[in-house]
Structures are given as C-alpha cells and as structure tokens.
Amino acid sequence: MTAAPTLRTAALAAFLAAAHATPVVSTFGPLRNRVLPGLSGRGHPDHVALTFDDGPDPGSTPHFLRLLAEREVHATFFMLGTQAHRSPGLVREIVAAGHEIGIHGWLHRPLLLRGPRATYDDFARARDTVAAITGRRPTLFRPPYGVMSTAAHLAARRLGLTPVLWTCWGEDWTARATPESVHRTVARDLDGGGTILLHDSDCTSAPGAWHSALGALPRILDTCAERGFEVGRLCDHGWPSRAAHGMGTLLGRRSSTVP
C-alpha cells in the first residue's frame, strides 16, 4: 500500500534535484559561449572585459591595482563578501580607482550544495556588505566555480543581480600555473567581445598562485592591443544586454518561489 506514494515521493525528489542542477550546463564554456553569449559576458566586438575573482586581498590586490593604473586600464572585480568585510578600505580604494565591483557570493562554496534559502542569504549578505562599504549596490554576480543553480538564478533575480561568467580564463589558480601558461591559455580563446577571468587573490587557490596572473597580465594586455581590442570593465562592454539574462530571465518569472 505504501509503494506507490514512496515511488511518487522519490520521483518528485529526483525531479526537483534535476531542476535545481539544470543550469549547471552553463558551466561548459564552449556550449555556454555558443548558446548563452550574454551569460558568458559577450559585449562589443572591439572590446574585451577584464575581470578578477576572489578578492580583495591586501597581500595581492594592490599589486594588480598598481599595474592597472600604470597601464590606464579599468577592470571588474568580483568580490567575496568575506574578503570585502575584512578589507573595507581596499574595497573603497578599488572603487576610487575607477574599477567596477560585482559579488562572488559571501563564501566560496558550490551553489549546487545549497538550497534556496541559503543561496538567497549568501547573495544578499555579500551584496549588502559591499553596498554598505561603497555606498553603491552592486548589480553583477559571478557564482563560485562558475556553476549556477536554479535557486541561484531565482535569488539573483530577486536581488537585482545579473549573473555573468566568462569566455576565456587563465587557469591561474593551480600550483603549476606560470605567467607563460596563463597568457597562453587566455590568448588561445581570446576574441573580440570576450570576457577574461583571472584571480587577484589565492584565498581559494594554490598558495601564491596570484603571482602567475599578475606576471601574465602585461602580456595579456599587450596581446589585446595587438589584436585591436580595447580592454575595460563590463559596464564599458555593452553589457549586460537583454541576452545577458539568458536562462535567468526565464527562471525569474517564477522568482516568487524563492523564500
């Protein structure tokens, strides 16, 4: 007598789990770049957006700020709420230098392991922390590990956050990364309208890994110049566009289901 309800419950649980994880397909770069260009950060064809994750870090971020100032380049920094909370003065310094700020969540934990309430609370805490420090409410969001969930899309929609990933990265978080390998990896997939992902902190990477990103950055900027691309922030990139909302726009119609 209990077999049918048990099977229905199991089927419902499986369906909900699948729905929660469906957006993970956007993690796969080639597919995302082709099907969801807005989510990948596609912008003007003569422009490249430069973005950094995991900061701010007083031991590493100032080195990136100095280099960017010397090259007269602005970038977008996706900050962890915990890092921003620890270094509010550095957050204000980044803003004063003309850079753009997005959030990377409060904690760098996989969103697929979080339910709707925990996801919403994490995003809200990070957004509100940065807003309290800077006086500006951030509108951009990048998920840890680049992995979205249905709960993440819904929470971002409710909080006025637009998710954005990237079109190329430097794989600069590993112990084996070098300035040469980071530049080579970025250059391989670099094209006009793309978004570059680097890290200005090693708080979730191999110790000292940020040195490889910093060492590669001048060559990356030179390569962009050689290919005729201007480098700047996402807000200079013709982004977000209507396409940028991608899957999140569709999911946002059900945003009232998020607690």
Side-chain angles (χ1 to χ4, degrees), residues 106-129:
W106 180 256
L107 294 170
H108 201 282
R109 292 179 180 171
L111 296 177
L112 288 178
L113 303 181
R114 295 183 171 197
R117 169 60 71 183
T119 298
Y120 181 90
D121 290 347
D122 180 274
F123 292 8
R125 189 177 184 186
R127 183 199 65 171
D128 294 347
T129 295

Side-chain angles (χ1 to χ4, degrees), residues 11-134:
L12 177 61
F15 172 78
L16 292 175
H20 179 64
T22 295
V24 77
V25 299
S26 65
T27 304
F28 301 102
L31 176 63
R32 178 181 72 245
N33 294 343
R34 184 170 63 253
V35 179
L36 296 169
L39 186 61
S40 297
R42 280 283 169 199
H44 293 307
D46 59 350
H47 189 273
V48 168
L50 177 62
T51 69
F52 296 93
D53 284 6
D54 291 0
D57 189 323
S60 53
T61 303
H63 296 283
F64 289 87
L65 295 179
R66 283 193 290 272
L67 194 156
L68 292 171
E70 291 170 1
R71 298 294 294 258
E72 299 183 342
V73 170
H74 293 118
T76 301
F77 288 80
F78 286 93
M79 297 182 175
L80 289 170
T82 49
Q83 295 287 99
H85 178 70
R86 293 188 187 109
S87 303
L90 183 53
V91 175
R92 287 188 283 268
E93 181 181 343
I94 292 170
V95 172
H99 302 293
E100 182 179 32
I101 292 182
I103 65 167
H104 199 34
W106 180 256
L107 294 170
H108 201 282
R109 292 179 180 171
L111 296 177
L112 288 178
L113 303 181
R114 295 183 171 197
R117 169 60 71 183
T119 298
Y120 181 90
D121 290 347
D122 180 274
F123 292 8
R125 189 177 184 186
R127 183 199 65 171
D128 294 347
T129 295
V130 169
I133 294 170
T134 65

